[in-house]
Amino acid sequence: MRRLYYEKKKKLMKSICLAVTMSLAVSLYPAELHAETSNQGEETAIEASGFDENAHGEVIQTGLCGPNAYDAEYKLYEDGTLYIYGNRREIVECEIKNFSNLYIEDGVTKIGNGAIFSDCLNLENVTIANSVKSIGSQAFSRCNNLKEIEIPYGVEYIGNMAFYECENLATVNIADTVTEIDFYAFGYCKNLKNVKLSNNISKLGGDLFFDCTSLENVELPPGIKIIESFMFCGCENLKNINLPNNVSEISQGAFEGCMKLTNISIPKTVEKILTNAFRGCITLTISCESGSYAHQYARENDIPVDIIHTHKYESTITKKPTCTEAGFRTYTCSCGDEYTEEISATGHEPIIDPAIAPTATETGKTEGSHCVICGKVLKAQEIIPATGKPEEPDIEVKNIFNGCKGSPLKLSVLYKENDNFTFECKDNCKIEIIFTGYSSIQSIGLSSNLKNYELTFNTSGEHILSVYKNGKLMENEKIIVAENHSWDSGKIAENQTCVKNGKKTYTCSNCRHTYTKAIPATGHKPSKWKISKKATIFKFGKEITTCTICSKILNQRTIKKLKSSVKLSKNKLTLKKGKTYKLKIKKQTKGDKISSWTSSKKKNVTVNKKTGKIKALKKGKAKITLKMKSGCKASCTVTVK
């Protein structure tokens, strides 16, 4: 029966071929000329791409591949080679049929529609230049001696039935420039075993490999979204096939009659499988994810299922990164699968090693730096020789203050009315002094008045500052001035949120000067999809993703209603006249309820619309139908004797 079906379809396709050829023959002769010409009116010469015109004997015939002067030209050689050439020209027709080798020269842009090389029964070898952009419908149909075809880089489109019924065609290689192959392009190529398709194809036509009984393996392009009708119908030797992750639909009869198809991997993106998609696939097992549409389809159609494992990885740091060496994080699945990714080296965190001024007898050091994490010296301190000058006698120092070069140091002194204060740096250091105002302090019920100053030192090192009151030395202060700030690791002043920046304050350990740095907002971190409302047979469900930090709902989508079904305890029943029987539900979807029981012929059989109890009244047949609230139905045919 299956073979009879294929033969009828084949006769129908031959009729279609003839009709398409005749209609195209009328439309392929434009009235205007667009030939590229030189200033002298002669066609621009093209450089040959490798064809040796002296290797094929004498030229026995020449002509045009079309009715117009701007169509491609041809030369037929005595060894049976047909050479077609012409810069920016197209092949519209071919009057030559008896040749064995076809060479299409660089410069030809198109093999037109209309069975141009069809029924060339002696054609064995075809060479197509990269300049050809498309191969028209029926172009090489029924070329029965053609065994291999190489579709070159540059071709973008292959028309319908282009290689239809090439019975000995065994190997097809298609370059990655091809984006579309139309219907029946390789239909009835019974010896076709190996096909390498372009990775950039986004559309494959229906019946593409119809009745290719020798086809064993095909790797489908990743951009395919629909497996069109009867695409692999009758491919008896096709054993395994994986559908790309973009596929959403498997159309009618797509794999019908693939009797040796043992496994097909169907991604979770497939949401529709039409009638007879796997009819006659008697050894088939469907590989799919649990709970997917393909899983449900396989169960409903009694097709064996192989559940695909979905990896869920947990991460562990297997090697911590250092300042200079990368670390590693390993991801492990419960199934034993694992992979490793690199963690970038942290880089050094520098801290300043302050300069030390030399004395008369001791050397000093220049400023340097080292890494606070690993201790590596980043900038070595250099030795400064001792000055050799005699030391001045020790000066009595009352207080010691720390500061930083260029950063104001606050100093307050007690005063009485009319007191005047001046300051002097013993080593003539560069210092700026600014009076900032008055203040007071309370102590055991007494109040003291203060004069406030800001002192800015512009040279680092140790300085002795003399404080004079009304022209008389009051006290000496030692001021230790660092060359640069020494910032701590910072304290959080304000935590960041998903949408708002935080703040972190850094304090210098020398002068207590501070600065604040923004902490970027984390941004929402979406959770995995989770069900907020379960779907039923009557209502849609809902899935949401929320922020794992602030719990805000970020996205939501609808879950399809559950598919309902019902099955009666009997689908056929014979009763004698006057007898009664109560039909029962054998299987139904949870949550569904009975809507009504009806009889197609109440004269023969009546049924209680609520209980399902039937009564035989008159000889004949009636169809008792159960309708559920969800709309699904089941029926039982009752015969009254």
Side-chain angles (χ1 to χ4, degrees):
M1 290 296 290
R2 186 181 67 84
R3 179 60 58 191
L4 180 59
Y5 167 73
Y6 292 156
E7 291 301 323
K8 287 182 178 179
K9 188 162 186 177
K10 183 174 178 182
K11 290 179 181 179
L12 176 60
M13 287 307 302
K14 287 185 177 181
S15 300
I16 294 173
C17 290
L18 178 59
V20 171
T21 304
M22 294 182 67
S23 63
L24 289 171
V26 176
S27 63
L28 291 175
Y29 301 103
E32 298 181 7
L33 299 180
H34 298 280
E36 292 284 335
T37 58
S38 66
N39 292 334
Q40 292 76 29
E42 296 179 356
E43 185 179 355
T44 304
I46 62 171
E47 182 179 352
S49 60
F51 182 76
D52 186 358
E53 295 193 48
N54 297 318
H56 303 284
E58 296 294 328
V59 175
I60 60 175
Q61 188 175 337
T62 62
L64 290 170
C65 294
N68 300 297
Y70 53 80
D71 293 325
E73 299 180 63
Y74 74 84
K75 294 179 183 179
L76 179 62
Y77 291 83
E78 62 181 352
D79 69 345
T81 298
L82 182 63
Y83 175 61
I84 298 178
Y85 60 96
N87 190 29
R88 300 182 186 176
R89 297 193 178 193
E90 299 180 2
I91 303 173
V92 176
E93 63 182 25
C94 182
E95 62 183 9
I96 308 299
K97 292 296 181 182
N98 188 18
F99 60 94
S100 56
N101 300 304
L102 174 62
Y103 194 102
I104 300 175
E105 180 62 87
D106 191 21
V108 176
T109 60
K110 180 179 180 181
I111 302 173
N113 296 321
I116 292 174
F117 300 110
S118 64
D119 297 304
C120 292
L121 301 181
N122 294 324
L123 179 59
E124 296 180 359
N125 301 300
V126 175
T127 301
I128 302 173
N130 292 349
S131 58
V132 174
K133 300 300 181 186
S134 66
I135 299 173
S137 64
Q138 305 180 60
F140 293 94
S141 61
R142 294 180 299 280
C143 292
N144 288 341
N145 272 328
L146 188 62
K147 297 179 180 179
E148 182 177 352
I149 188 70
E150 185 86 21
I151 307 299
Y153 190 89
V155 173
E156 299 172 358
Y157 171 77
I158 300 174
N160 61 77
M161 298 184 288
F163 297 92
Y164 177 79
E165 210 173 355
C166 291
E167 292 187 350
N168 289 306
L169 184 62
T171 301
V172 176
N173 294 316
I174 300 174
D176 281 345
T177 53
V178 174
T179 59
E180 181 178 352
I181 304 177
D182 221 329
F183 68 89
Y184 264 112
F186 300 100
Y188 293 101
C189 293
K190 294 186 177 297
N191 282 303
L192 184 60
K193 293 182 179 180
N194 302 303
V195 177
K196 181 183 179 300
L197 294 172
S198 161
N199 287 329
N200 294 316
I201 292 176
S202 59
K203 183 177 180 182
L204 294 173
D207 298 274
L208 184 64
F209 298 105
F210 189 91
D211 208 26
C212 292
T213 54
S214 299
L215 187 65
E216 296 179 355
N217 294 294
V218 176
E219 186 173 343
L220 292 173
I224 295 299
K225 294 183 179 180
I226 298 177
I227 306 300
E228 297 286 356
S229 299
F230 305 104
M231 184 179 289
F232 295 97
C233 181
C235 295
E236 297 175 352
N237 283 294
L238 186 65
K239 296 179 180 178
N240 296 286
I241 194 162
N242 294 322
L243 302 188
N245 285 332
N246 284 330
V247 172
S248 61
E249 177 182 327
I250 303 174
S251 296
Q252 180 181 2
F255 297 93
E256 183 175 351
C258 296
M259 294 184 293
K260 292 185 180 179
L261 184 61
T262 58
N263 183 273
I264 182 168
S265 179
I266 302 179
K268 62 181 180 181
T269 54
V270 172
E271 297 179 346
K272 189 175 184 181
I273 302 176
L274 297 183
T275 308
N276 296 333
F278 300 102
R279 180 182 178 185
C281 299
I282 55 179
T283 62
L284 177 64
T285 296
I286 291 179
S287 295
C288 60
E289 291 189 17
S290 178
S292 64
Y293 178 87
H295 187 195
Q296 182 180 348
Y297 173 86
R299 287 188 300 181
E300 290 176 354
N301 290 273
D302 297 324
I303 299 175
V305 176
D306 180 17
I307 298 299
I308 299 173
H309 172 68
T310 302
H311 293 300
K312 292 183 179 179
Y313 295 98
E314 293 185 358
S315 64
T316 305
I317 295 177
T318 50
K319 180 184 177 184
K320 291 184 177 180
T322 66
C323 297
T324 56
E325 293 184 357
F328 295 97
R329 180 180 283 106
T330 300
Y331 294 84
T332 306
C333 179
S334 58
C335 70
D337 186 70
E338 67 177 26
Y339 68 94
T340 301
E341 68 177 20
E342 185 178 281
I343 307 173
S344 300
T346 61
H348 294 297
E349 186 174 330
I351 190 172
I352 299 298
D353 298 320
I356 301 174
T359 66
T361 58
E362 295 183 1
T363 59
K365 291 182 180 180
T366 60
E367 181 184 283
S369 65
H370 69 277
C371 176
V372 295
I373 299 175
C374 67
K376 181 179 179 180
V377 175
L378 304 178
K379 181 181 179 182
Q381 291 181 288
E382 297 179 1
I383 300 297
I384 303 174
T387 62
K389 296 179 181 179
E391 293 183 359
E392 295 181 358
D394 291 337
I395 298 175
E396 185 177 351
V397 174
K398 184 175 182 181
N399 298 301
I400 298 176
F401 300 96
N402 291 311
C404 293
K405 177 180 174 180
S407 181
L409 176 66
K410 294 181 179 180
L411 185 65
S412 299
V413 292
L414 294 171
Y415 82 100
K416 295 180 181 179
E417 190 174 356
N418 298 323
D419 278 348
N420 181 45
F421 295 93
T422 57
F423 304 86
E424 179 182 274
C425 190
K426 289 295 185 182
D427 58 352
N428 296 318
C429 63
K430 294 180 180 180
I431 184 174
E432 297 176 9
I433 303 173
I434 299 175
F435 172 68
T436 60
Y438 301 93
S439 63
S440 63
I441 57 174
Q442 302 289 328
S443 177
I444 315 177
L446 300 176
S447 177
S448 300
N449 297 319
L450 299 172
K451 270 189 174 182
N452 302 311
Y453 298 87
E454 282 187 355
L455 285 66
T456 303
F457 291 86
N458 295 316
T459 55
S460 59
E462 292 185 0
H463 305 295
I464 302 298
L465 181 71
S466 298
V467 183
Y468 293 88
K469 182 171 70 172
N470 300 325
K472 185 178 179 180
L473 179 65
M474 185 176 67
E475 59 190 39
N476 292 312
E477 320 286 352
K478 180 184 284 188
I479 312 295
I480 302 173
V481 180
E483 179 70 15
N484 296 295
H485 291 296
S486 180
W487 303 108
D488 63 12
S489 57
K491 292 184 178 180
I492 302 295
E494 185 176 345
N495 289 322
Q496 80 272 40
T497 67
C498 297
V499 297
K500 184 180 178 182
N501 291 340
K503 293 180 181 179
K504 193 173 187 180
T505 301
Y506 297 84
T507 304
C508 176
S509 60
N510 298 320
C511 66
R512 310 310 299 171
H513 183 74
T514 63
Y515 79 93
T516 301
K517 186 177 181 181
I519 306 172
T522 60
H524 293 301
K525 294 185 179 179
S527 67
K528 294 181 179 179
W529 286 101
K530 54 187 178 182
I531 296 173
S532 63
K533 181 181 178 183
K534 291 185 178 180
T536 68
I537 58 177
F538 300 106
K539 293 183 180 180
F540 292 97
K542 186 191 295 183
E543 286 182 313
I544 62 170
T545 58
T546 60
C547 176
T548 58
I549 298 173
C550 69
S551 301
K552 180 180 179 181
I553 295 176
L554 303 179
N555 205 350
Q556 64 182 16
R557 65 187 183 189
T558 300
I559 304 173
K560 292 181 179 179
K561 295 179 183 177
L562 299 179
K563 187 175 180 181
S564 62
S565 62
V566 64
K567 189 174 182 180
L568 294 175
S569 58
K570 292 182 178 293
N571 56 18
K572 290 183 180 181
L573 181 65
T574 301
L575 293 176
K576 291 183 179 181
K577 183 177 176 181
K579 294 293 183 179
T580 62
Y581 184 89
K582 186 175 181 181
L583 287 172
K584 295 181 180 180
I585 297 175
K586 182 179 181 181
K587 183 179 180 182
Q588 71 178 78
T589 303
K590 184 179 179 181
D592 210 350
K593 295 182 178 180
I594 295 172
S595 174
S596 65
W597 295 84
T598 57
S599 172
S600 64
K601 292 184 179 181
K602 295 180 180 180
K603 292 181 179 180
N604 298 97
V605 181
T606 60
V607 62
N608 187 301
K609 64 180 182 180
K610 292 184 178 180
T611 65
K613 185 176 181 179
I614 62 176
K615 184 175 182 179
L617 301 178
K618 183 181 179 181
K619 288 185 179 181
K621 291 185 178 181
K623 186 177 182 181
I624 305 302
T625 301
L626 166 64
K627 183 178 180 181
M628 305 296 287
K629 294 286 188 181
S630 64
C632 67
K633 296 179 180 179
S635 62
C636 175
T637 300
V638 179
T639 302
V640 181
K641 292 186 175 181

